[in-house]
Amino acid sequence: MSQVSSVPKPRRNVELALLLLALAVGIGANMLVGVDQEKAFDSDFWFQSSLLAVAALVFHGVLRFRAKYADPVILPIVVALNGLGLAMIHRLDAPGEDTGNNQLRWTLIAMAVAIAVVFFLKDHRILRRFTYISLAASALLLILPLVPGISAGEILGARVWIRFGPMTFQPGEVAKITLAIFFAGYLSSNRDLILLAGRKIGPMQFPRFKDMGPMITAWLVSIGVLIFQRDLGSSVLFFGLFIVMIYVATSRISWVVIGLALILGGGFVAAQVFSHVQQRVYGWLNAFSPDVYENGSRQVIEGLFGMANGGLVGTGLGQGRPDLVPFANSDMIIASLGEELGLIGLFAVVLLYLLFFTRGFRAALGTRDAFGKLLACGLSFAVALQCFVVIGGVTRLIPLTGLTTPFLAAGGSSLLANWIIVGLLLMISHVARGPVDTTPLPPTGTAAATGIDTPTEAVKQA
Amino acid sequence: MNQAVRHAWVAAVAMFALLFGAISFVQVVGADDLKTNPLNQRAILQNYCNDRGAIIVGGTPVAESVETTSETCKFQRTYPQPELYAGITGYFSKNYGATGLEQTMGAELAGNSDQLFLDRVGQLFLGNQPKGASVELTLDPQIQQLVYNLIPDGQRGSIVVSNPKTGAILAMVSKPSYNPNLIATQDPKAESANINELVKVPGINLNQNVSGPTGELLAPGSVFKLVDTAAALASGKYNKDSVLPNPAEMPFDGIQYKLPNYAGGNCYTRDTAGFAFALQQSCNTPFASIALDLGRDAIAAQYKKFGFGEDVGDQLKLGHAEGNSFPDNLDAPGLAQSAIGQKDVRVTPLQVNMMTNAIANGGAQMAPSLIKALRSPDLRVINEPQPAQLRTSTTPEIAKQITEWMTSVVTDGIAKGAAVPGVQVAGKTGTAELGNGTNNSWFTGFAPADNPKVSVTIVMEGVDIYAGAKLTSPNAKKIFEAVLNK
């Protein structure tokens, strides 16, 4: 286990410098998108830029005295992404549309919640107490969109929204966090059982059936989301999240094998049985045939045309025609950025995501408790997987599914959920990078139950 | 546990590596294919209002962008002689895309082609309005006008005139034509109303990609006998003195059907015939017997060597137009019928013209060409395509022999109407029965026979024999005279 041997450094000034750079990127982009449309420096521009800057600096201030060892790179990356998203959404607003300001509203709410997470959650290990509450919360969140009265019904073929008055919300976005908390709690408590009990068949050690419980639950949840909510993306996300976490908990590749087998099996059956999955796959493979284009693949094809139009260096912000792509500011915002920023700009954006999740994994490596490791790892991987599913869908690497691009795409639930992840990762990294906690352990329970990962890793291959 | 965290990170990075690959593929490797995809309207929308290059025939624009007073759209695409050149230029519409050269030369006309890269950089620094390259065509405006007038209004037909030695197209026309200005209008309501009217007109070639001289697939009839003749001579089983069976009807074992000889000429006067007589009178049974003797594959191979079944439209930059391949799985009557250009054999007028050119040019088939030069906005020539041989269709000896027989078709046979005083003309007629009492009437030929300067292919669709005879050979004569007297 890597231990920070040198004296920990807070690096808050580094964060401030990077944050100013990130704000320059976001605000500069917001300025450029307007230049060509004669709406540079309009009231929206000043409003959005100044509020984003204030919120980012407040967040930075809170970190200074509440989590001063937190990773200094995470917040600037996210501010840069969120700022770019705001700029592009502002740019895509037709006259009279207000998606840009709506996104700003949600950004501020999401940042406030993330600040609250940092402020009130002194130690992420507290979350472990909520293992089974998180399970219940996840189940509730996933069922909500199906409950009459709260459900917003089927929007664009998926039942994943709920409605409060004029607002819609996608509870599944938050469910990925609660599920990660549950998995982290369950696995950190039961990893020994899963590792040691069970039968060995050939080189593979298979777990006992009753320890398979959460895996089967996860599988059923994913399938349930796929069937009842018609949400292919989320089911892939939940399942991938679980496989990674159980792999990290057990270090057994057999789990990945079992998990992938279940995915392939489930995917194969889904492709045979569910017409919406069939349509996605067919539309993906035959996207360019004109009848498919008319009835489904138009969105992704127009996105590809836009990205091709951008080429290597892009048309320049505000100078392309990303508005020709349906859902240019949400599902297809990657194509919009690809068109106007080109391959170079889009690579930069994707690299920001890569840096972001890498810092998350770094926090997982650095933190000393199994729960924190699993949580940081799970959340980071979830963000990476979500990016893969979305960007892979937009570039036609895989079939397009309905997930949002974290921090960039228009949509409040996604912003909120992903900013909460930022708050959690910042806290875990604060513990990971900070001085070793020398406060005495609570008296009750075994080491595993307290969440401190005592050096039991010797139990690798029993 | 940390090792597993690192592995998980490696898995995530691997996914991202795939993403970088996918993005590179879309934005760089596959970008050109995406940009030219027919579903892609971006290129048009982006430069719809720009100053697009002109399409020029004989120094005069036949498609050009003119300045408008509109604030939102500063240039309007116009076609000064719309019907005459519609089949070549196509149209450039905001909502219906582009067809013809407007589509296939779109990058050059818009100034986006690689050859114009430096001009584009210049425009970037000087802040000039973007301006596209001009495309100069090989067409001769006088011949084009003459040929257009030779197809009577209301008659469906196509004429291709070209130079056999270079492959350059001198005139190319299909009727009925249409007015591309009606579709290029900036008034979206008029645009859709007009296009809805035009698509109702039977035989109209709104989309050069599917019809027109390069695209419409027609039964060739007796013109196809030139393929049989070349195949026969190439096989070595026949020579110029071969005697072919020429019964009035050809029976087949076990069925009622008999392939009849052509009723129009003097075939009935002989039971056997040499190639010269069979071609002059366009007798059917001698060629059916050649095909049955040589077999389907020999005919199909020669058919392919003449360029049939190949993509000709693209060579003219006029879009996709493959001919049918020679039919497969033929029984004896089917092969006999195919050998006289009936049944499922389909060709385009341009392909027949290219076959004629190959015979005229000693067996060397030149690539057909429509573009003489590409000029940058400052009139500098940036590209001047040179004549290029496309394939070898037959040997010089066979070509010379067929030319000799084709000359006798005009002097002594049923294409006398094409004769030009003082010039040796080589020709072949064709009559493809459409089954409803009307025919597609063909003429293809070249002149002078010993030193070909021009070839002419005419097809009139849905005519009776007498109307066809009047509209093909005599018109060919007029075209030969017009070109040779220039």
Side-chain angles (χ1 to χ4, degrees):
Chain A
M1 182 163 298
S2 67
Q3 204 80 304
V4 184
S5 51
S6 55
V7 180
K9 287 184 184 147
R11 305 257 185 225
R12 292 273 68 80
N13 290 333
V14 173
E15 180 179 77
L16 181 61
L18 290 175
L19 199 54
L20 292 176
L21 186 65
L23 285 169
V25 168
I27 293 171
N30 207 8
M31 189 176 85
L32 282 173
V33 296
V35 170
D36 214 44
Q37 309 176 15
E38 289 158 9
K39 64 179 185 186
F41 309 114
D42 61 1
S43 59
D44 282 351
F45 166 73
W46 292 115
F47 186 67
Q48 291 173 6
S49 307
S50 52
L51 281 178
L52 180 70
V54 167
L57 293 172
V58 167
F59 205 142
H60 169 72
V62 171
L63 287 180
R64 267 189 188 265
F65 77 100
R66 203 70 192 180
K68 68 175 180 173
Y69 295 105
D71 192 315
V73 185
I74 292 179
L75 182 65
I77 291 175
V78 175
V79 168
L81 287 170
N82 201 146
L84 273 177
L86 271 172
M88 183 46 78
I89 293 164
H90 177 206
R91 177 241 180 285
L92 285 166
D93 264 350
E97 268 183 0
D98 205 20
T99 322
N101 285 329
N102 192 39
Q103 180 80 348
L104 178 70
R105 241 179 330 266
W106 274 108
T107 303
L108 297 179
I109 293 171
M111 287 174 85
V113 173
I115 289 172
V117 167
V118 171
F119 199 88
F120 292 108
L121 190 70
K122 287 195 187 118
D123 189 326
H124 61 266
R125 282 168 289 190
I126 298 165
L127 290 173
R128 201 175 165 192
R129 293 183 198 149
F130 301 107
T131 299
Y132 289 96
I133 294 176
S134 293
L135 177 63
S138 309
L140 188 70
L141 286 166
L142 288 174
I143 289 168
L144 277 179
L146 302 175
V147 176
I150 309 171
S151 169
E154 193 163 314
I155 301 178
L156 308 168
R159 291 174 182 279
V160 293
W161 279 271
I162 57 171
R163 183 184 293 282
F164 312 106
M167 287 201 314
T168 55
F169 192 80
Q170 210 174 328
E173 289 279 354
V174 181
K176 75 186 172 201
I177 303 174
T178 54
L179 274 176
I181 293 173
F182 164 68
F183 289 150
Y186 180 87
L187 290 171
S188 60
S189 302
N190 296 307
R191 53 190 291 247
D192 291 349
L193 276 177
I194 296 168
L195 270 172
L196 298 176
R199 202 181 304 170
K200 198 165 183 206
I201 302 171
M204 303 255 287
Q205 165 111 30
F206 285 95
R208 287 187 309 189
F209 184 75
K210 68 176 188 183
D211 301 324
M212 292 271 284
M215 184 146 202
I216 291 174
T217 311
W219 190 65
L220 289 175
V221 165
S222 309
I223 297 284
V225 166
L226 182 65
I227 299 174
F228 296 111
Q229 309 191 344
R230 307 178 147 247
D231 187 0
L232 192 58
S234 295
S235 59
V236 170
L237 183 66
F238 294 151
F239 205 65
L241 174 70
F242 181 66
I243 288 190
V244 156
M245 291 183 71
I246 199 163
Y247 169 67
V248 171
T250 62
S251 303
R252 288 269 166 82
I253 204 76
S254 56
W255 281 100
V256 179
V257 174
I258 297 172
L260 287 177
L262 285 175
I263 286 198
L264 290 177
F268 182 74
V269 171
Q272 306 290 317
V273 176
F274 304 125
S275 62
H276 64 285
V277 178
Q278 261 169 1
Q279 275 171 12
R280 291 269 169 160
V281 174
Y282 182 82
W284 173 58
L285 293 173
N286 302 289
F288 284 99
S289 91
D291 57 320
V292 176
Y293 172 82
E294 292 300 331
N295 306 310
S297 70
R298 178 160 170 258
Q299 184 182 8
V300 74
I301 294 298
E302 287 294 337
L304 290 177
F305 289 159
M307 289 176 72
N309 188 35
L312 194 62
V313 293
T315 58
L317 277 169
Q319 310 214 25
R321 291 297 304 272
D323 55 313
L324 295 176
V325 183
F327 304 103
N329 65 9
S330 55
D331 289 12
M332 302 300 286
I333 195 156
I334 284 292
S336 305
L337 288 167
E339 177 169 5
E340 300 208 323
L341 298 179
L343 172 108
I344 294 170
L346 194 52
F347 266 29
V349 169
V350 178
L351 275 174
L352 283 179
Y353 282 115
L354 192 139
L355 274 178
F356 174 75
F357 76 68
T358 300
R359 302 312 295 195
F361 279 105
R362 190 81 199 82
L365 284 178
T367 191
R368 285 164 288 271
D369 65 301
F371 175 76
K373 268 183 201 304
L374 286 169
L375 185 60
C377 198
L379 292 175
S380 308
F381 191 81
V383 172
L385 184 58
Q386 187 159 354
C387 289
F388 176 73
V389 168
V390 176
I391 303 174
V394 169
T395 52
R396 208 164 153 248
L397 180 65
I398 55 172
L400 186 69
T401 52
L403 280 181
T404 55
T405 322
F407 309 111
L408 283 176
S413 5
S414 166
L415 273 179
L416 182 63
N418 287 303
W419 271 101
I420 291 175
I421 291 177
V422 171
L424 291 172
L425 288 179
L426 282 170
M427 284 317 294
I428 298 173
S429 72
H430 168 64
V431 174
R433 295 162 46 88
V436 176
D437 187 0
T438 50
T439 52
L441 301 179
T444 55
T446 63
T450 59
I452 304 293
D453 188 25
T454 52
T456 48
E457 290 217 72
V459 208
K460 274 226 154 167
Q461 198 70 24
Chain B
M1 217 173 181
N2 277 353
Q3 201 53 39
V5 172
R6 289 192 187 97
H7 287 158
W9 176 77
V10 169
V13 171
M15 292 191 306
F16 268 56
L18 286 175
L19 290 184
F20 285 118
I23 294 169
S24 309
F25 184 79
V26 173
Q27 300 208 266
V28 180
V29 183
D32 283 342
D33 284 346
L34 286 167
K35 281 182 192 166
T36 52
N37 188 294
L39 294 169
N40 194 344
Q41 300 289 308
R42 260 164 201 280
I44 291 170
L45 284 172
Q46 256 178 4
N47 55 43
Y48 181 70
C49 299
N50 287 357
D51 190 0
R52 200 172 155 81
I55 299 176
I56 295 166
V57 172
T60 314
V62 298
E64 61 183 329
S65 288
V66 295
E67 230 167 318
T68 65
T69 51
S70 156
E71 269 295 303
T72 51
C73 207
K74 293 212 174 82
F75 290 90
Q76 163 72 54
R77 198 67 170 162
T78 54
Y79 303 87
Q81 296 162 275
E83 282 88 1
L84 186 55
Y85 291 101
I88 309 249
T89 60
Y91 55 75
F92 182 70
S93 145
K94 188 169 188 176
N95 295 316
Y96 295 96
T99 60
L101 289 179
E102 290 278 32
Q103 187 204 13
T104 50
M105 296 301 285
E108 287 81 359
L109 291 167
N112 293 334
S113 74
D114 294 341
Q115 292 150 330
L116 288 164
F117 181 74
L118 286 177
D119 295 80
R120 221 157 57 237
V121 173
Q123 284 157 6
L124 191 70
F125 286 108
L126 297 171
N128 289 344
Q129 274 284 334
K131 196 168 176 8
S134 300
V135 177
E136 209 176 321
L137 303 186
T138 57
L139 297 178
D140 180 314
Q142 284 167 299
I143 306 297
Q144 177 83 357
Q145 184 69 60
L146 167 77
V147 161
Y148 185 81
N149 294 344
L150 288 178
I151 307 174
D153 286 336
Q155 171 65 49
R156 284 178 68 181
S158 301
I159 299 180
V160 182
V161 183
S162 66
N163 180 334
K165 287 180 181 165
T166 64
I169 306 285
L170 301 177
M172 188 157 82
V173 146
S174 261
K175 266 191 181 176
S177 189
Y178 67 98
N179 182 347
N181 287 316
L182 296 176
I183 310 173
T185 172
Q186 287 178 13
D187 174 354
K189 272 188 193 159
E191 186 184 359
S192 69
N194 290 338
I195 204 161
N196 287 333
E197 279 303 307
L198 286 172
V199 293
K200 288 182 202 153
V201 181
I204 208 162
N205 311 319
L206 283 182
N207 188 345
Q208 190 66 53
N209 294 338
V210 294
S211 58
T214 65
E216 192 147 16
L217 292 169
L218 304 167
S222 303
V223 167
F224 195 83
K225 289 167 186 168
L226 296 174
V227 177
D228 305 327
T229 307
L233 295 176
S235 73
K237 288 169 115 178
Y238 296 83
N239 60 42
K240 67 185 174 63
D241 303 318
S242 293
V243 176
L244 308 166
N246 184 32
E249 290 180 326
M250 181 183 257
F252 297 94
D253 288 340
I255 55 168
Q256 287 270 304
Y257 172 79
K258 289 175 178 159
L259 181 76
N261 234 340
Y262 182 55
N266 294 324
C267 290
Y268 60 91
T269 57
R270 299 186 193 179
D271 288 339
T272 59
F275 276 107
F277 180 81
L279 283 167
Q280 280 165 21
Q281 305 303 330
S282 207
C283 306
N284 291 334
T285 50
F287 295 99
S289 76
I290 289 174
L292 292 174
D293 178 29
L294 296 179
R296 181 255 169 207
D297 291 351
I299 305 292
Q302 184 63 52
Y303 176 84
K304 203 164 185 257
K305 276 189 170 178
F306 274 128
F308 293 107
E310 306 283 315
D311 209 333
V312 179
D314 281 353
Q315 286 158 358
L316 282 190
K317 301 215 173 273
L318 281 178
H320 179 271
E322 277 177 51
N324 270 8
S325 56
F326 194 74
D328 229 331
N329 297 326
L330 291 169
D331 55 5
L335 177 56
Q337 286 177 314
S338 300
I340 58 164
Q342 295 276 175
K343 201 163 165 66
D344 297 329
V345 179
R346 293 290 180 276
V347 300
T348 70
L350 179 61
Q351 285 171 335
V352 171
N353 188 252
M354 283 169 65
M355 167 180 73
T356 310
N357 283 352
I359 295 168
N361 198 34
Q365 190 173 57
M366 304 302 286
S369 73
L370 196 51
I371 289 154
K372 191 200 258 174
L374 205 60
R375 289 180 189 276
S376 68
D378 58 9
L379 299 181
R380 197 162 35 86
V381 173
I382 43 182
N383 193 0
E384 202 167 10
Q386 296 302 308
Q389 187 177 336
L390 193 58
R391 56 173 76 83
T392 303
S393 300
T394 186
T395 65
E397 295 73 35
I398 294 175
K400 190 160 174 283
Q401 183 59 58
I402 298 176
T403 301
E404 208 172 283
W405 288 330
M406 283 174 75
T407 312
S408 76
V409 173
V410 177
T411 51
D412 304 320
I414 56 179
K416 281 186 182 133
V420 177
V423 180
Q424 270 206 315
V425 174
K428 180 77 196 82
T429 57
T431 305
E433 290 172 14
L434 297 178
N436 56 1
T438 66
N439 306 294
N440 287 339
S441 195
W442 289 84
F443 173 88
T444 191
F446 54 92
D450 51 351
N451 181 23
K453 292 198 167 74
V454 53
S455 77
V456 172
T457 301
I458 301 176
V459 58
M460 297 292 164
E461 299 173 47
V463 290
D464 62 42
I465 292 204
Y466 303 102
K470 277 185 207 149
L471 286 173
T472 49
S473 297
N475 281 343
K477 174 192 180 188
K478 289 179 195 158
I479 300 168
F480 285 133
E481 284 178 331
V483 177
L484 295 174
N485 292 337
K486 269 188 102 72

